[in-house]
Structure formats: structure tokens, C-alpha cells
Amino acid sequence: DFRDPWSEMFYNQDLPMTKASIEKNEALEVSILNKADKVITVSHYIADLLVKKSDKSKRDIHIIENGYDDRLFKEKREKKTQSTIAYVGYLGKHHNYELLVEGLSAFVKQYPEKEIILELAGNIEPVVLELLKEKLSIQIKNHGIVSHEVAIQLMQESHVLLFAVPKTNYIKGLISGKIFEYIASKTPIVSLNSDAEEANKIISQFDTNYVVENPNEMASAIDNCILNTGNSQPTNDKIAQYSRENLTGKLADIIKDM
């Protein structure tokens, strides 16, 4: 089960690995792939990577997304009084934080009459947090690392959720587990990675969400999300395809077929 790539994992470049360590990791990865009867991963792009480095064919590799636990989304919550833009999860130097800063700056410039607050929850690297505080003239509330329940509450109570993934050589197929909880929250999503093709394909299934490429697009998307709060929401049936219960059913079918 490859929830993430192995050899290509984005933070490997920051680890002090010797050439021998890199080669051993690559050999272990290929060995495990070749010994497996079935392989599971989260995206078609990563599946293609695994096919290229092993003796597996595409039919041996199955896509099962991370999904969300629907038990955590039973309670309906009201939106915060003040227009709230939230980012939940890890945000570091490998993310597209430049667009986050420039897009929020553009929003403030284009819509000066609208007061917003940026709420952060998760591991926010200090250098990124300091840049946000330095460049943005809006209120920023950093909750730090919070419980899963508190994170989901913030997703549901916010007006806009910002989505970003690390800039990597496999970004086309990088689908973080957070995306499905974002979707389950029914809060509009603005994706900051236009090249995250498979993640954006999932996000774009829902009309309330946006994929942006530049600050002006981001500012406009945020305004639309706030204006349309509560007017249109994804249907439960459409979201349910990503519930852990349904995805576990797919896993059960794979096991039965072995």
C-alpha cells in the first residue's frame, strides 16, 4: 500500500542520505513491489511510477483514495460571523505559499471594504508564518497543531478553505488525504496548485470549488466563495464516493479477488 511515493517523496531531498542509502531504498522499493500480489496507491500518476520501476502491470495496481471518516462529519456547524479563510495541515517551504500571500494581498486591495481573517491549523513552518505576518495586512490566527476534531470543526465553520500540496516532481498525482475532509466539510475550496492535475480533477467535480493560477484569480475565487456561502453545496451522494466505508468496500473486493 503506497499512500505516498517512496523514492520520490518530496522531503527526501532534505534528508542527509548517502548514495548507498538512496540505492538501498530504491532496491527495497522494487523488491517489495515485485513480491506483492496486489499493489494499492492513491493516484494514477503514482501507479504509473510504480509500474515503470517494477514487474507489475497496470492491472496489478489499484487506486484507493485516502477518503474521509463520515462519522466525523455528522454534526452540522454554522459558519463563523466574520468571513474566515482557513488553511488546515502542514504548510512549508515546498508549498506554493507565495501565491497564498499574493492572492490574499490582491483580495485586500480589490475588496478593501470586506474584512477577512486567515486561520491556520497545523504545522506551519516559522519562515512561512513570519512571511504571512509581514506581508499581509489582515488578521491572522494561528492555532498551531490541533486535534483532528478541532481541525474538522474549523473546516466546517470557515467560508473558504485553501488547498496546497508540496511542489514536487510527482505533483500531477499528489493527492493528500486532507482534500477529502475538505470536500466532506462542504466548505468551498480554492486550490493553489494548478499543476496538481489529479487532485484538481477531484476538486473540480464540485461547482463550489476553484483552481487558480495567479493572485487575481485567487482574489476573485475567494470573493465568490464568500458571496455564495450556503447557496450551493455538494450533494451527500457525490461526496459519499470518498467515504472510508465505500473505499473499504473497494479494498475488500481486491482481497476477495486474490
Side-chain angles (χ1 to χ4, degrees):
D1 183 11
F2 282 72
R3 295 293 89 188
D4 295 293
W6 185 336
S7 302
E8 297 86 357
M9 193 63 184
F10 72 92
Y11 54 65
N12 284 349
Q13 60 188 295
D14 296 326
L15 301 177
M17 295 172 66
T18 63
K19 182 180 178 182
S21 296
I22 293 170
E23 290 175 350
K24 184 172 183 178
N25 264 298
E26 291 173 346
L28 283 169
E29 180 180 22
V30 172
S31 173
I32 288 170
L33 281 168
N34 289 342
K35 289 178 181 177
D37 296 299
K38 296 287 184 181
V39 178
I40 301 165
T41 190
V42 297
S43 72
H44 294 282
Y45 186 85
I46 295 178
D48 289 338
L49 283 179
L50 300 177
V51 167
K52 289 176 183 176
K53 63 176 67 180
S54 69
D55 61 9
K56 292 289 177 286
S57 68
K58 198 66 182 284
R59 66 175 177 272
D60 297 317
I61 301 181
H62 302 267
I63 309 300
I64 298 182
E65 297 88 353
N66 286 305
Y68 69 94
D69 186 344
D70 59 353
R71 295 172 299 179
L72 300 175
F73 292 87
K74 297 294 186 186
E75 183 179 347
K76 293 184 178 180
R77 293 186 170 93
E78 296 297 322
K79 297 297 182 186
K80 292 174 182 281
T81 304
Q82 185 175 4
S83 296
T84 302
I85 300 166
Y87 183 92
V88 180
Y90 171 59
L91 182 63
K93 62 183 181 182
H94 295 293
H95 290 75
N96 194 7
Y97 62 86
E98 299 94 342
L99 178 55
L100 189 157
V101 171
E102 293 167 8
L104 288 176
S105 296
F107 179 89
V108 171
K109 186 175 181 179
Q110 294 175 28
Y111 308 97
E113 74 285 0
K114 298 186 177 180
E115 290 188 11
I116 58 171
I117 179 173
L118 174 64
E119 295 204 30
L120 307 168
N123 181 11
I124 314 298
E125 286 192 3
V127 63
V128 176
L129 183 60
E130 288 306 311
L131 182 67
L132 293 173
K133 291 178 178 178
E134 177 187 341
K135 298 292 185 181
L136 296 176
S137 59
I138 62 174
Q139 183 181 352
I140 299 174
K141 189 173 183 179
N142 180 28
H143 297 276
I145 296 173
V146 298
S147 69
H148 198 183
E149 291 75 13
V150 171
I152 288 171
Q153 182 176 343
L154 178 58
M155 293 179 199
Q156 293 176 311
E157 293 178 349
S158 299
H159 296 80
V160 187
L161 295 174
L162 300 180
F163 175 75
V165 292
K167 294 179 282 188
T168 71
N169 56 356
Y170 58 91
I171 192 170
K172 288 183 178 180
L174 182 53
I175 304 176
S176 72
K178 176 176 63 182
I179 189 175
F180 302 104
E181 294 188 332
Y182 268 24
I183 289 169
S185 76
K186 297 186 177 181
T187 299
I189 302 166
V190 177
S191 170
L192 310 184
N193 291 97
S194 59
D195 44 359
E197 293 179 4
E198 291 195 59
N200 290 336
K201 187 176 180 180
I202 293 170
I203 288 172
S204 298
Q205 292 180 70
F206 306 93
D207 296 336
T208 54
N209 301 333
Y210 295 84
V211 178
V212 300
E213 296 187 21
N214 58 61
N216 288 331
E217 285 186 3
M218 181 176 167
S220 177
I222 290 173
D223 186 52
N224 287 334
C225 291
I226 294 172
L227 285 174
N228 294 312
T229 296
N231 292 343
S232 175
Q233 289 188 331
T235 62
N236 290 332
D237 289 345
K238 202 168 185 180
I239 296 171
Q241 63 182 307
Y242 299 116
S243 74
R244 295 262 171 86
E245 184 176 1
N246 285 336
L247 294 176
T248 302
K250 290 174 67 174
L251 176 59
D253 290 339
I254 292 169
I255 294 171
K256 289 176 185 176
D257 191 45
M258 289 175 62

